[in-house]
């Protein structure tokens, strides 16, 4: 790690408590982690381990109960929409269900346009840039005219990645971005993300329950279990020498 | 073209009927066979005949002409009423759902207060305070009817609020205003549109009822409710004076309801999925 790499995401002592049927659910318990520039990190854990909650808090979609999550030194959940725009220009997300992450009433082109307009992209270059990112994600630009339900789920996820990359972000958070896809499409999307990571100098925060998939793309892995980070290490080390019992179980289940 | 292909013949027929109704009402002053306000006591209480299709009232005014003129008052005031009711209700409902918390409680408790009044009694009270007249009747009915739309809009918006595309829009820097109007509204407007079209009949009836009670349109303005009220003493000796406007209300409400039903069949999300 070179000393000049800057920290893009810094999470410190983050806790989140939900109230569900009068019982308190601790989704996150004092989680801390960092993401540095041009690094790709993965969060792995079974459903309910709190990894998606963590992503939502980093993206400012939910508020933490205590602690803080900084994204480019800003706590997104504290900002109003206009204040958050400069940050969202640099950090973008791809969600689990690609078809549902587009408004069913708008064409893909319209969703792209609104996205870029809000994030301050030059208006007269929006159409051109839309086509450019579609090609970058290996999609025919004619798909822009379609509605989200008129394209296949894999194509839709490519479009979602294209939308996220349209404003040239520095970090892409992929929240279970491949879970809704079948195995072959999954492999294509992972390949695409790997290429984009190189070409666009992206940092990735890859969230998944699939440790085998994650080990292909991430340089380091944080294993989450019941709201805590059970183990953090380089991908190689974690696969070959897991320390934590939970990590061992997770790996032996796959391999 | 694809819009027309999926449209049922029923919907085409009833939309045509609604359009004809609206045109007739709009052109009423030009197409009336007699002056609806001209009194001629020598012609009073005539039976329906070839000159006076629906007979005349006790002042010798042509009932058919008055029914046509009344269409203008009744139909267009109802449309104004439904428009304002649904716009106010929908805006309150979506805002309550989106902002949640204290704004939600405040707006919804306010709507509960309005829902707790019996509609017609409240309208009578408003009319009593502000005086009669069609504008005040509309105001009273708007005040009493918006909570229904607010409730429907709120529950529809709550369903949408958890959807992923809202998160995507937020990460895309969308403001509250944009999320409400660009993201949520297009997804909930269908069922709300159907509700408001189906409500036209009910609203027309309530407006006519207020006029019947003397709190809506004031004489001599031709309005179906007040025409029935004016002539109700003559029901035994000249029933046509009441049947004319009564029949008009019936036909009008039937057409709007049938139109609403076929529109719902078209827009209903369960059918659209096929």
């Amino acid at each position: 790690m070179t000393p000049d790499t800057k920290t893009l995401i810094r999470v410190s002592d983050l806790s989140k408590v939900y109230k569900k049927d009068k019982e308190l659910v601790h989704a996150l318990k004092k989680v801390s982690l960092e993401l540095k520039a041009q690094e790709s990190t993965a969060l792995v854990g079974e459903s309910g381990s709190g990894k998606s909650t963590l992503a939502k808090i980093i993206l400012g979609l939910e508020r933490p109960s205590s602690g803080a999550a900084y994204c480019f030194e800003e706590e997104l959940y504290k900002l109003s929409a206009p204040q958050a725009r400069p940050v969202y220009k640099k950090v973008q997300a791809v969600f689990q269900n690609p078809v549902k992450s587009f408004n069913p009433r708008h064409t893909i082109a319209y969703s792209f346009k609104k996205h870029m307009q809000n994030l301050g992209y030059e208006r007269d270059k929006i159409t051109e840039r839309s086509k450019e990112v579609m090609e970058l994600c290996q999609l025919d630009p004619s798909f822009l005219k379609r509605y989200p339900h008129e394209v296949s789920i894999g194509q839709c996820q490519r479009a979602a990645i294209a939308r996220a990359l349209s404003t040239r972000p520095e970090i892409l958070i992929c929240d279970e971005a491949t879970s809704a896809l079948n195995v072959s499409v999954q492999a294509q999307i992972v390949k695409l993300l790997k290429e984009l990571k190189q070409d666009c100098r992206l940092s990735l925060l890859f969230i998944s329950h699939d440790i085998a998939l994650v080990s292909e793309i991430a340089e380091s892995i944080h294993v989450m279990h019941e709201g805590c980070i059970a183990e953090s290490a380089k991908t190689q080390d974690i696969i070959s020498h897991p320390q934590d019992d939970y990590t061992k179980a997770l790996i032996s289940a796959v391999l | 073209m694809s819009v027309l292909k999926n449209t049922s013949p029923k919907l085409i027929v009833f939309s045509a009927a609604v359009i004809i109704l609206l045109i007739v009402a709009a052109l009423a002053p030009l197409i009336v066979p007699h002056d609806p306000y001209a009194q001629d006591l020598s012609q009073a209480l005539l039976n329906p005949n070839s000159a006076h299709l629906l007979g005349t009232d006790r002042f010798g005014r042509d009932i058919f002409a008055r029914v046509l003129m009344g269409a203008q008052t009744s139909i267009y005031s109802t449309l104004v009423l439904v428009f304002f009711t649904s716009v106010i209700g929908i805006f309150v409902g979506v805002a309550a759902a989106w902002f949640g918390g204290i704004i939600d409680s405040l707006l919804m408790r306010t709507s509960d207060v309005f829902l707790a009044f019996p509609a017609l009694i409240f309208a009578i009270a408003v009319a009593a305070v502000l005086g009669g007249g069609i504008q005040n009747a509309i105001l009273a009915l708007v005040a009493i009817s918006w909570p229904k739309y607010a409730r429907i809009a709120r529950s529809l918006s709550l369903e949408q609020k958890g959807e992923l595309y809202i998160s995507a829009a937020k990460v895309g820097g969308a403001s509250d205003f944009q999320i409400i109007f660009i993201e949520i509204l297009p997804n909930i407007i269908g069922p709300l549109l159907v509700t408001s079209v189906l409500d036209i009949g009910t609203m027309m009836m309530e407006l006519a009822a207020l006029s019947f009670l003397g709190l809506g349109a004031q004489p001599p303005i031709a309005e179906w409710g007040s025409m029935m009220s004016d002539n109700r003493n003559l029901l035994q000796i000249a029933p046509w004076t009441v049947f004319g406007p009564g029949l008009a209300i019936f036909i009008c409400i039937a057409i709007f309801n049938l139109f609403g039903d076929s529109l719902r069949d078209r827009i209903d999300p369960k059918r659209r999925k096929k």
Side-chain angles (χ1 to χ4, degrees), chain A residues 27-45:
Chain A
L28 292 172
K29 300 171 198 158
K30 289 198 171 287
V31 171
S32 300
L33 60 88
E34 282 192 358
L35 179 69
K36 291 199 163 26
Q38 293 183 46
E39 190 182 63
S40 52
T41 308
L43 279 178
V44 181

Side-chain angles (χ1 to χ4, degrees), chain B residues 31-72:
Chain B
I31 55 174
V32 282
H34 301 271
D35 181 350
Y37 297 112
Q39 302 189 3
D40 181 358
L41 293 178
S42 67
Q43 301 278 308
L45 296 179
L46 292 180
N47 280 325
N49 56 46
S50 54
H52 300 285
L53 281 177
L54 291 170
T56 59
D57 67 5
R58 63 187 142 153
F59 301 112
R61 297 177 295 197
D62 181 55
I63 299 280
F64 184 62
R66 284 182 67 76
V67 166
L68 278 182
M69 271 313 265
Q72 200 168 40

Side-chain angles (χ1 to χ4, degrees), chain B residues 71-128:
Chain B
Q72 200 168 40
T73 325
S74 295
I75 294 177
Y76 284 103
S77 352
T78 309
L79 292 183
V80 169
L81 169 59
V82 171
F83 176 78
F84 281 109
T85 310
S86 43
V87 167
I88 294 172
I90 290 170
F91 184 73
V92 169
V94 181
W98 176 246
F99 292 108
I102 186 139
I103 296 178
D104 185 20
S105 316
L106 213 65
L107 290 174
M108 284 300 114
R109 292 304 80 77
T110 314
S111 84
D112 284 342
V113 170
F114 280 98
L115 273 180
F117 285 107
L120 223 48
I121 307 291
F122 181 80
I124 291 170
V126 169

Side-chain angles (χ1 to χ4, degrees), chain B residues 241-263:
Chain B
T241 53
V242 180
F243 284 169
L247 199 65
I249 293 178
F250 168 73
I251 292 173
C252 231
I253 292 178
I255 288 178
F256 275 108
N257 279 348
L258 289 166
F259 172 63
D261 274 336
S262 40
L263 193 66

